[in-house]
C-alpha cells in the first residue's frame, strides 16, 4: 500500500528543503542517502523509491505540461480571484513562480489552502500525468482547482516546482544519484532509464528488509536500451592544434562540425524515435521524412541507434545553411533547401550494442552498411590526420568554407555517454578568441531574470540601427557574461531610462 508516511508530499518537501539549505554537493547526496536508508521514522525507508527518484529528477519524465509562467499566472489568478498584473509584477521582483503562487494562494479569499498536508507522491504523479493530456484552459483550470482543494500552500509550491522541473535544491541528477553510489549516474547516462537504475541499486525492497550493513549500491551493468534516449557524447574545446595532438599523438580523425541540430535516432522494427541533444522529442516537421529515408539508406540495419546532425542543404548549390534555418517559418524562405541527416556515429546496430567498440570500428560499420541518399541521408565528412600540419590545413580549409569548425576523435576511443571525450576546434577558441566574429550592438530592451536573478534586469535585448530602413532592429538576447555586481549596476542604470513595453505580449522594458 502506498499510503505510508515516507510517500507523503510534505515529507518530500521537507527533504528537498533540507537539501536546498546544504551548500556542499557531497552533503546533499549524504542527506538523500541517509533518508533512503532510514526513512522519515528513522527505522528504515518504506516508500516508493522509483516515484521518489522521478520526483527528485523531474526532467527525467520528459512530460510536457503546456504551462509556462504566463499561462500559470493567468489560470491561478482566476482561481484565486487576484489581479494577474499584480502577480506578474511580484514574479518579476521575486523570480520564483512557485513562491508567487504559494503566496497568493495563502492570501486568496476565494480558494483557501488546506491547513495540513494530505497528499501522497503517487497522487501528485497521477495528477501531473493527467495534466500533460490537457491543452484547453478550462480543463487545465479545473484540474488545478482540484489540486488546490487538496493542498496546503507549501504543497502547491512543491507541485509547481515539479512542473517547472526545478525543485530549487541546486542539485542535478548527478548529485541526486550520487546517493546511490558512484556508478548510479554513469548508468543513468548510458540507459536514461531511472527504473533500471533503481532496480539495480538493490532498493526494490524497504531498507529494513535488507541485510545489516548492505550498501545502497550493488554492482551495475550498464545497458543501452533501444527507444530510450542516451546522454550524447560531447566534446571539449581545444585552443590549438598542438594541444589536440598532445591527446592523440598517433593521429586522429577529423570530422566537419556541422552547424545544425543534434539528433539521436532510435529504430526498432518499423518504429522510430528521434531525440534532441537535451533528450527531448524532436519536432515532427524536422524529421517526418526520415522514417522513409533511413530504411532506404540502411536497408540491413535491423534495430539501431544513430548519432547525427540535421541541417538544411541547398540542393542547387550544395551549400550547408546556418543554424536556425530549420525553424518552421524560416525554412520557408529557402525554396531549394531540404533537411539532410548527417550520420556520424552508431551506438547500436542490428541489435548489437557498439559503445565499447573503438570509434574506427563503429565508423567502419556505418561505412559498410550505408547507401547514401544525397541531400537526405549521408555520412559526415571525415579525414584521418597524422600530424599537426595536416590538422592546421584542415582547420584553415573548414574556416575558409565558413563552416563552424572540426571535431577530433581518437581512433581507439569508445562511445562514452555524457562524457566530453572528443575535441572541438572552432575559430572562436583559437588564439585566445581573437578569431571570433564580433558585432557592436546596443541594449534596446531588458527583462527581469528568474531564480536568484529575480527582481534584477538580467536578460538584455540587443540590436543595431539599420540605415536603410532608418530604424532600430533587434539581433539577439544576452543573459550571460556579467557577474552579480555588474548586473546590479546595469539594473540601476537602465531602470532610470526605461519603461514597460506597451505590447501586451512583451515582458521587456524599453527605452523611453
Amino acid at each position: 500500500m502506498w499510503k505510508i508516511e515516507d510517500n507523503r508530499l510534505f515529507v518530500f518537501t521537507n527533504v528537498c528543503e533540507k537539501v536546498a539549505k546544504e551548500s556542499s554537493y557531497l552533503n546533499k547526496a549524504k542527506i538523500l542517502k541517509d533518508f533512503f536508508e532510514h526513512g522519515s521514522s528513522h527505522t528504515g525507508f518504506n516508500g516508493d523509491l522509483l516515484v521518489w527518484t522521478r520526483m527528485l529528477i523531474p526532467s527525467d519524465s520528459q512530460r510536457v505540461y503546456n504551462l509556462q509562467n504566463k499561462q500559470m499566472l493567468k489560470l491561478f489568478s482566476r482561481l484565486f480571484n487576484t489581479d494577474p498584473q499584480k502577480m506578474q509584477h511580484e514574479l518579476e521582483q521575486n523570480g520564483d513562480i512557485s513562491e508567487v503562487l504559494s503566496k497568493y494562494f495563502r492570501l486568496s479569499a476565494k480558494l483557501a489552502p488546506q491547513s495540513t498536508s494530505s497528499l501522497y507522491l503517487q497522487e501528485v504523479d497521477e495528477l501531473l500525468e493527467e495534466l500533460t493530456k490537457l491543452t484547453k484552459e478550462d480543463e487545465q483550470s479545473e484540474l488545478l482547482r482540484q489540486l488546490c482543494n487538496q493542498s496546503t500552500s507549501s504543497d502547491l509550491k512543491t507541485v509547481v516546482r515539479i512542473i517547472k522541473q526545478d525543485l530549487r535544491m541546486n542539485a542535478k541528477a548527478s548529485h541526486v544519484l550520487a546517493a546511490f553510489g558512484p556508478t548510479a549516474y554513469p548508468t543513468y547516462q548510458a540507459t536514461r532509464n531511472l527504473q533500471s537504475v533503481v532496480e539495480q541499486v538493490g532498493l526494490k525492497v524497504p531498507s529494513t528488509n535488507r541485510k545489516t550493513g548492505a550498501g545502497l549500491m550493488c554492482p551495475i551493468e550498464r545497458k543501452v536500451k533501444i527507444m530510450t534516449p542516451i546522454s550524447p557524447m560531447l566534446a571539449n574545446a581545444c585552443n590549438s592544434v598542438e594541444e589536440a595532438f598532445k591527446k592523440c599523438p598517433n593521429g586522429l580523425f577529423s570530422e566537419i562540425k556541422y552547424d545544425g541540430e543534434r539528433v539521436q535516432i532510435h529504430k526498432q522494427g518499423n518504429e522510430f524515435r528521434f531525440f534532441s541533444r537535451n533528450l527531448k522529442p524532436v519536432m515532427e516537421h524536422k524529421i517526418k521524412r526520415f522514417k522513409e529515408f533511413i530504411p532506404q539508406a540502411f536497408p540491413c540495419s535491423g534495430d539501431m541507434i544513430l548519432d547525427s546532425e540535421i541541417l538544411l542543404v541547398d540542393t542547387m548549390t550544395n551549400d550547408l545553411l546556418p543554424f536556425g534555418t530549420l525553424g518552421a517559418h524560416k525554412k520557408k524562405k529557402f525554396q531549394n533547401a531540404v533537411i539532410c541527416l548527417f550520420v556520424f556515429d552508431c551506438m547500436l546496430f542490428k541489435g548489437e550494442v557498439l559503445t565499447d567498440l573503438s570509434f574506427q570500428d563503429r565508423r567502419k560499420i556505418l561505412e559498410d552498411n550505408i547507401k547514401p541518399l544525397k541531400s537526405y541521408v549521408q555520412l559526415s565528412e571525415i579525414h584521418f590526420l597524422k600530424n599537426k600540419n595536416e590538422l592546421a590545413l584542415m582547420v584553415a580549409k573548414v574556416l575558409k568554407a565558413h563552416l563552424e569548425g572540426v571535431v577530433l576523435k581518437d581512433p581507439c576511443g569508445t562511445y562514452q555517454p555524457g562524457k566530453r571525450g572528443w575535441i572541438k576546434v572552432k575559430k572562436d577558441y583559437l588564439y585566445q578568441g581573437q578569431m571570433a566574429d564580433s558585432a557592436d550592438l546596443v541594449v534596446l530592451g531588458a527583462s527581469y531574470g528568474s531564480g536568484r536573478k529575480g527582481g534584477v534586469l538580467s536578460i538584455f535585448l540587443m540590436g543595431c540601427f539599420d540605415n536603410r530602413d532608418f530604424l532600430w532592429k533587434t539581433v539577439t538576447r544576452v543573459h550571460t557574461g556579467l557577474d552579480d555586481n555588474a548586473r546590479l549596476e546595469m539594473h540601476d542604470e537602465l531602470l532610470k531610462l526605461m519603461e514597460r513595453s506597451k505590447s501586451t505580449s512583451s515582458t521587456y522594458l524599453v527605452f523611453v
Side-chain angles (χ1 to χ4, degrees):
M1 184 64 183
W2 48 263
K3 287 193 174 183
I4 53 178
E5 197 71 9
D6 284 344
N7 285 334
R8 285 189 176 275
L9 179 60
F10 83 86
V11 173
F12 177 83
T13 299
N14 290 341
V15 171
C16 290
E17 289 177 350
K18 192 174 180 181
V19 172
K21 292 176 183 176
E22 178 55 59
S23 58
S24 164
Y25 290 126
L26 289 176
N27 288 339
K28 288 177 186 287
K30 187 176 184 303
I31 290 169
L32 294 172
K33 180 178 182 293
D34 289 344
F35 177 78
F36 289 137
E37 285 184 340
H38 305 298
S40 56
S41 64
H42 304 289
T43 59
F45 177 75
N46 292 289
D48 188 324
L49 182 66
L50 180 57
V51 173
W52 261 87
T53 312
R54 282 177 173 163
M55 292 293 185
L56 287 168
I57 311 174
S59 59
D60 174 77
S61 69
Q62 298 188 31
R63 285 171 170 162
V64 178
Y65 298 105
N66 302 302
L67 285 174
Q68 299 303 320
N69 286 356
K70 186 176 180 181
Q71 181 70 358
M72 280 195 182
L73 290 178
K74 183 179 181 181
L75 294 174
F76 279 103
S77 66
R78 292 174 181 172
L79 293 175
F80 301 157
N81 194 25
T82 305
D83 181 3
Q85 293 299 321
K86 189 175 180 181
M87 294 175 72
Q88 174 65 41
H89 180 72
E90 183 92 17
L91 177 60
E92 290 174 351
Q93 301 304 312
N94 183 292
D96 184 350
I97 183 70
S98 65
E99 288 280 9
V100 173
L101 295 179
S102 177
K103 173 184 174 179
Y104 281 92
F105 190 21
R106 294 193 300 271
L107 297 174
S108 174
K110 181 180 179 182
L111 193 63
Q114 298 295 309
S115 57
T116 57
S117 177
S118 62
L119 283 169
Y120 291 86
L121 291 179
Q122 286 80 355
E123 293 173 312
V124 173
D125 194 44
E126 289 179 8
L127 182 142
L128 294 177
E129 183 61 31
E130 183 64 25
L131 189 58
T132 63
K133 302 172 185 176
L134 307 179
T135 56
K136 296 179 179 179
E137 286 187 2
D138 289 345
E139 295 173 340
Q140 292 173 327
S141 183
E142 179 55 34
L143 190 63
L144 294 174
R145 184 191 302 277
Q146 293 174 26
L147 169 65
C148 291
N149 285 335
Q150 303 175 70
S151 301
T152 65
S153 60
S154 178
D155 288 342
L156 180 63
K157 178 166 67 176
T158 299
V159 174
V160 170
R161 287 180 174 180
I162 294 171
I163 291 172
K164 297 299 294 181
Q165 299 185 354
D166 181 5
L167 294 172
R168 316 288 288 189
M169 298 192 304
N170 192 26
K172 299 178 181 178
S174 57
H175 308 129
V176 172
L177 294 176
F180 304 143
T183 58
Y185 183 61
T187 301
Y188 177 65
Q189 286 183 301
T191 64
R192 217 66 191 183
N193 188 325
L194 273 182
Q195 182 170 350
S196 175
V197 174
V198 168
E199 287 174 352
Q200 293 182 67
V201 298
L203 279 175
K204 290 181 286 186
V205 294
S207 58
T208 49
N209 294 339
R210 285 187 278 122
K211 294 180 180 178
T212 303
L216 277 180
M217 197 69 195
C218 66
I220 277 186
E221 177 190 357
R222 291 202 239 168
K223 295 179 180 178
V224 170
K225 187 175 180 181
I226 189 122
M227 309 307 269
T228 300
I230 304 165
S231 293
M233 190 166 174
L234 304 170
N236 272 319
C238 181
N239 297 321
S240 67
V241 294
E242 290 79 13
E243 182 183 337
F245 265 89
K246 283 181 183 177
K247 299 178 181 179
C248 301
N250 297 319
L252 40 73
F253 282 104
S254 167
E255 281 184 340
I256 300 295
K257 188 177 190 310
Y258 298 101
D259 190 16
E261 295 183 22
R262 187 101 174 243
V263 175
Q264 186 179 119
I265 302 163
H266 291 240
K267 174 182 175 290
Q268 185 175 42
N270 295 321
E271 298 296 319
F272 286 86
R273 295 193 72 183
F274 299 84
F275 300 100
S276 69
R277 185 183 185 279
N278 296 322
L279 309 181
K280 304 293 185 183
V282 180
M283 296 182 70
E284 179 67 17
H285 76 88
K286 297 179 181 179
I287 45 83
K288 61 182 179 181
R289 295 200 66 190
F290 291 126
K291 295 175 184 178
E292 170 192 349
F293 294 143
I294 290 172
Q296 297 176 34
F298 293 95
C300 304
S301 64
D303 295 347
M304 66 178 179
I305 303 175
L306 302 176
D307 211 347
S308 65
E309 195 97 359
I310 57 171
L311 62 161
L312 278 186
V313 176
D314 190 315
T315 56
M316 302 294 288
T317 63
N318 292 322
D319 288 342
L320 307 180
L321 300 180
F323 182 82
T325 53
L326 283 167
H329 299 296
K330 290 186 178 180
K331 194 171 63 171
K332 294 177 181 178
K333 298 179 181 178
F334 303 95
Q335 298 298 320
N336 297 319
V338 295
I339 300 177
C340 185
L341 180 78
F342 290 89
V343 180
F344 59 80
D345 216 323
C346 185
M347 294 84 90
L348 183 140
F349 199 80
K350 293 184 178 178
E352 181 181 350
V353 177
L354 307 181
T355 51
D356 289 333
L357 293 185
S358 67
F359 172 72
Q360 59 186 356
D361 288 342
R362 300 196 307 275
R363 178 73 186 197
K364 188 173 189 307
I365 289 172
L366 288 174
E367 291 174 349
D368 289 347
N369 288 277
I370 191 173
K371 293 183 177 180
L373 303 177
K374 185 175 174 59
S375 299
Y376 294 103
V377 181
Q378 301 177 205
L379 288 183
S380 59
E381 184 179 332
I382 191 168
H383 301 274
F384 184 73
L385 308 176
K386 299 185 288 294
N387 54 55
K388 292 182 287 186
N389 290 336
E390 290 184 353
L391 176 55
L393 289 171
M394 175 58 66
V395 171
K397 176 184 175 183
V398 166
L399 297 184
K400 185 178 181 180
H402 304 291
L403 298 174
E404 192 177 11
V406 294
V407 177
L408 308 175
K409 300 181 178 181
D410 181 352
C412 300
T414 58
Y415 194 98
Q416 303 172 65
K419 303 287 186 180
R420 292 189 177 274
W422 297 330
I423 303 168
K424 55 184 176 182
V425 179
K426 299 167 61 176
K427 65 179 179 180
D428 297 13
Y429 308 146
L430 298 174
Y431 306 106
Q432 290 75 50
Q434 294 180 31
M435 294 184 65
D437 292 328
S438 63
D440 293 327
L441 303 174
V442 298
V443 177
L444 299 180
S447 62
Y448 290 97
S450 59
R452 66 182 184 86
K453 298 177 185 177
V456 180
L457 294 174
S458 305
I459 304 170
F460 305 104
L461 187 63
M462 312 298 293
C464 59
F465 191 75
D466 187 328
N467 289 308
R468 184 191 65 184
D469 294 339
F470 207 70
L471 52 79
W472 289 93
K473 292 186 176 180
T474 59
V475 175
T476 187
R477 289 188 301 173
V478 174
H479 55 89
T480 58
L482 296 177
D483 60 28
D484 289 343
N485 290 333
R487 192 179 294 110
L488 287 171
E489 186 177 336
M490 287 277 287
H491 170 86
D492 292 339
E493 291 297 319
L494 291 174
L495 209 56
K496 302 173 187 175
L497 307 170
M498 292 181 154
E499 64 178 24
R500 186 173 299 281
S501 170
K502 292 182 173 61
S503 170
T504 57
S505 61
S506 174
T507 59
Y508 279 102
L509 275 70
V510 296
F511 283 102
V512 180

